[in-house]
Amino acid sequence: MEIYDKIKVYADFFNHEIIKFLSKIEPGILREASLHLIKSGGKRLRPFILSKIAEYYGVDIKDSIPAAIAVELIHNFSLIHDDIMDNDQFRHGVKTVHVEYGIPYAILAGDTLFSLAFNSLLNLRRKFPERIVRKAVQELAETTYKLSVGQGYDMFLPSTNFFNYKLYYKTIINKTASLYEASCVIGAVLGKASSKDIKNIRMFARNSGLAFQIYDDILGVFGDEKLTGKPVGNDIREGKRTLIVIYAIKKSNSQLKEKILKVLGNKNASEEEIREVIDYLKKINSYDYALKKAIYYNEKAKKYAEKLPKDLAKFLFEFSDFLVKRRF
Amino acid sequence: MEIYDKIKVYADFFNHEIIKFLSKIEPGILREASLHLIKSGGKRLRPFILSKIAEYYGVDIKDSIPAAIAVELIHNFSLIHDDIMDNDQFRHGVKTVHVEYGIPYAILAGDTLFSLAFNSLLNLRRKFPERIVRKAVQELAETTYKLSVGQGYDMFLPSTNFFNYKLYYKTIINKTASLYEASCVIGAVLGKASSKDIKNIRMFARNSGLAFQIYDDILGVFGDEKLTGKPVGNDIREGKRTLIVIYAIKKSNSQLKEKILKVLGNKNASEEEIREVIDYLKKINSYDYALKKAIYYNEKAKKYAEKLPKDLAKFLFEFSDFLVKRRF
């Protein structure tokens, strides 16, 4: 079975479990708001990778369900709150939760999923020893803090004059890579993997997550509107401090730099101005630079995977390639 | 030392620890937003009761700090988010976080405190066995879900025709009593109290919390503006389904019922209309009814406290009386 087909089979399975777990939420309107985004779709990649890694270490998929649900709920909590903060109107082709239910219920739906993630995770205690449960909880708790830090920088940086590679990597390590990393690590923790294996799995996931996000950033600037579902140059209009923009600012003379800064984060910039900046970015090789970095981190991820048991390594190779290529 | 003086001493101690713990938050603007409400004051009643109960079971106050910080952070997270949802402009005499920093940073500040609460709680592992840590985490996780349910009903009920004692108690058991209950229970869990003691402490706290909230509701309708800091009849204007209003609706004939419903939740109601409803509520003994209930639950709380070790029972008597009387 191709990895994409495997993912689909698992997604159906997890959807059933997640919806069952959330059916207890009350009052009803809060339950509906909490389920809105989940029911709109999604590949459940975090539950998938968590359960698959646990499986490679001998854990029955049924036993990893509480953890798989937990990482997906945290993912959805952060999407719901991020959509309010970023004032996004659509996701997965449906209205965002705050557009459909209003900001108060959207905030509360996010909080509900956040708390239920930890409640779900604690259900691991029925099958796993206290220390394993605590380690999983700790991994998830540390990650939820990282998500806040990442979103904090993502919101803060566009209002500054900082164009800094280090802050870029800090943002995406926290905002994107961390929950993917936690999903992989929790899978390994449930499987009682050695601390050496856990470290390699962590570094695999972090680098694979970086590669994924850099590809995503490339799409956000150069991507086809029909494929990304977002207006061309969306990240330019929002003033995002992506690798592409940082590289361009560093490589341009002061005149060209000023030209970029005039458009970057300018909500009133015309289509033509945006298009002009994108053409310029391509011309000075921002695209090539970012693509090279994405490939670099994907290869780096694989180097860590190589140190793991052969079957697991093979699977992680496949998964990382799938992750970074799936939207091209 | 009087209990009020004890609380003040502990509050200074906890403030120091909380601010130290939060000083690592980045970026800076997120740290400031997260600290805004905490720095505006507060009695730190939840850390106080948690650490005091743990102390009665022989736990050094230093060892309970991670848990004391955790319950206070959850309290502040819920205040910040509730203030956005309820559109409140002031708290503790200062602007609410979303008024001062905008809704995006306020949502994120709440999320940050939520996540750091669990991170703090996990620091217990340095001094306590895995099972105790897991029990504390579980108690807090269950409570964060209850807070969502309580806030859900609090938001939902004013938009309905429900006047129902059961839903009132459900709302306040979840929204107010649960975190107080969790604070007391976690204190006992750290002290390795017997499951019988833990059960009595839980029931003490739940009933004491109910008494506190019913008193608070009385103040929200009949309270002196100068003491409560909120406009007279604020809860009437907001349409809150308090015990006072439920009793009145059940006791009134259809004509008087209609009169109340015309004003309840009506943001445009005049001062005079509000005043008229308040006078009527007093006349039909809503005030007396609610006061009787508050006294009943405070006494019920004490009945559970009586089953505990004598010194602890005496302290809990004092604390519960302080709680319900402090704002009169």
Side-chain angles (χ1 to χ4, degrees), chain B residues 68-125:
Chain B
I69 292 175
V71 293
E72 187 64 24
L73 297 188
I74 291 296
H75 178 53
N76 276 274
F77 136 72
S78 77
L79 295 180
I80 293 172
H81 280 194
D82 285 5
D83 283 342
I84 310 171
M85 297 182 225
D86 301 344
N87 197 21
D88 283 334
Q89 309 293 302
F90 289 92
R91 183 179 287 276
H92 302 160
V94 300
K95 284 182 193 163
T96 47
V97 181
H98 65 104
V99 170
E100 187 74 34
Y101 292 90
I103 288 179
Y105 280 115
I107 294 174
L108 195 58
D111 293 345
T112 306
L113 298 180
F114 194 153
S115 72
L116 286 178
F118 283 95
N119 281 286
S120 180
L121 201 53
L122 285 157
N123 285 335
L124 287 172
R125 75 185 186 280

Side-chain angles (χ1 to χ4, degrees), chain A residues 114-215:
Chain A
F114 194 153
S115 72
L116 286 178
F118 283 95
N119 280 286
S120 181
L121 201 53
L122 285 157
N123 285 335
L124 288 173
R125 75 184 187 282
R126 293 174 195 155
K127 293 282 182 176
F128 295 92
E130 300 279 9
R131 202 177 66 94
I132 298 288
V133 178
R134 193 265 301 158
K135 277 188 157 186
V137 171
Q138 192 165 336
E139 187 68 28
L140 196 69
E142 283 168 7
T143 296
T144 55
Y145 174 64
K146 288 178 188 169
L147 292 177
S148 283
V149 172
Q151 173 69 0
Y153 276 109
D154 209 40
M155 271 164 40
F156 170 64
L157 289 175
S159 70
T160 70
N161 295 318
F162 302 155
F163 291 87
N164 182 309
Y165 290 124
K166 220 174 128 185
L167 284 176
Y168 169 76
Y169 286 111
K170 181 172 223 165
T171 304
I172 70 169
I173 282 177
N174 284 291
K175 188 173 162 139
T176 309
S178 73
L179 187 56
Y180 175 31
E181 184 182 317
S183 303
C184 293
V185 168
I186 291 172
V189 165
L190 297 188
K192 302 186 182 67
S194 68
S195 58
K196 207 178 133 210
D197 275 14
I198 290 177
K199 208 181 147 200
N200 285 320
I201 285 171
R202 184 184 295 288
M203 295 312 289
F204 158 79
R206 189 175 299 171
N207 285 288
S208 172
L210 286 178
F212 165 75
Q213 185 58 54
I214 295 169
Y215 269 107

Side-chain angles (χ1 to χ4, degrees), chain A residues 80-323:
Chain A
I80 293 171
H81 280 194
D82 285 5
D83 283 341
I84 310 172
M85 298 182 223
D86 299 344
N87 198 21
D88 284 333
Q89 309 293 302
F90 289 93
R91 183 179 286 276
H92 302 163
V94 300
K95 284 182 192 163
T96 47
V97 181
H98 65 104
V99 170
E100 186 75 36
Y101 292 90
I103 289 178
Y105 280 114
I107 295 174
L108 195 58
D111 294 344
T112 305
L113 298 180
F114 194 153
S115 72
L116 286 178
F118 283 95
N119 280 286
S120 181
L121 201 53
L122 285 157
N123 285 335
L124 288 173
R125 75 184 187 282
R126 293 174 195 155
K127 293 282 182 176
F128 295 92
E130 300 279 9
R131 202 177 66 94
I132 298 288
V133 178
R134 193 265 301 158
K135 277 188 157 186
V137 171
Q138 192 165 336
E139 187 68 28
L140 196 69
E142 283 168 7
T143 296
T144 55
Y145 174 64
K146 288 178 188 169
L147 292 177
S148 283
V149 172
Q151 173 69 0
Y153 276 109
D154 209 40
M155 271 164 40
F156 170 64
L157 289 175
S159 70
T160 70
N161 295 318
F162 302 155
F163 291 87
N164 182 309
Y165 290 124
K166 220 174 128 185
L167 284 176
Y168 169 76
Y169 286 111
K170 181 172 223 165
T171 304
I172 70 169
I173 282 177
N174 284 291
K175 188 173 162 139
T176 309
S178 73
L179 187 56
Y180 175 31
E181 184 182 317
S183 303
C184 293
V185 168
I186 291 172
V189 165
L190 297 188
K192 302 186 182 67
S194 68
S195 58
K196 207 178 133 210
D197 275 14
I198 290 177
K199 208 181 147 200
N200 285 320
I201 285 171
R202 184 184 295 288
M203 295 312 289
F204 158 79
R206 189 175 299 171
N207 285 288
S208 172
L210 286 178
F212 165 75
Q213 185 58 54
I214 295 169
Y215 269 107
D216 212 56
D217 287 348
I218 293 172
L219 286 170
V221 175
F222 302 107
D224 184 339
E225 194 169 335
K226 274 171 252 149
L227 287 175
T228 65
K230 285 178 179 175
V232 172
N234 192 54
D235 283 359
I236 301 289
R237 195 173 273 112
E238 297 196 342
K240 289 251 172 88
R241 294 299 189 258
T242 60
L243 213 47
I244 297 138
V245 162
I246 299 167
Y247 177 85
I249 290 290
K250 294 215 181 274
K251 291 288 169 187
S252 301
N253 63 35
S254 59
Q255 205 191 339
L256 284 163
K257 197 169 138 180
E258 215 171 300
K259 248 188 164 172
I260 300 174
L261 291 178
K262 225 189 98 196
V263 175
L264 191 72
N266 178 356
K267 300 259 189 297
N268 303 316
S270 69
E271 282 289 312
E272 205 194 318
E273 284 173 310
I274 298 270
R275 175 57 61 196
E276 214 177 304
V277 166
I278 293 173
D279 286 346
Y280 172 68
L281 292 175
K282 215 154 194 175
K283 208 172 121 199
I284 61 160
N285 297 324
S286 274
Y287 178 92
D288 299 326
Y289 173 79
L291 196 61
K292 223 176 67 188
K293 285 288 176 192
I295 293 165
Y296 167 78
Y297 285 108
N298 194 32
E299 292 307 312
K300 197 171 166 189
K302 289 178 178 174
K303 286 265 186 312
Y304 285 105
E306 267 170 14
K307 297 174 188 173
L308 293 162
K310 214 174 151 191
D311 281 359
L312 175 57
K314 189 169 164 271
F315 166 74
L316 293 179
F317 268 56
E318 237 187 314
F319 188 76
S320 194
D321 282 342
F322 164 77
L323 251 199

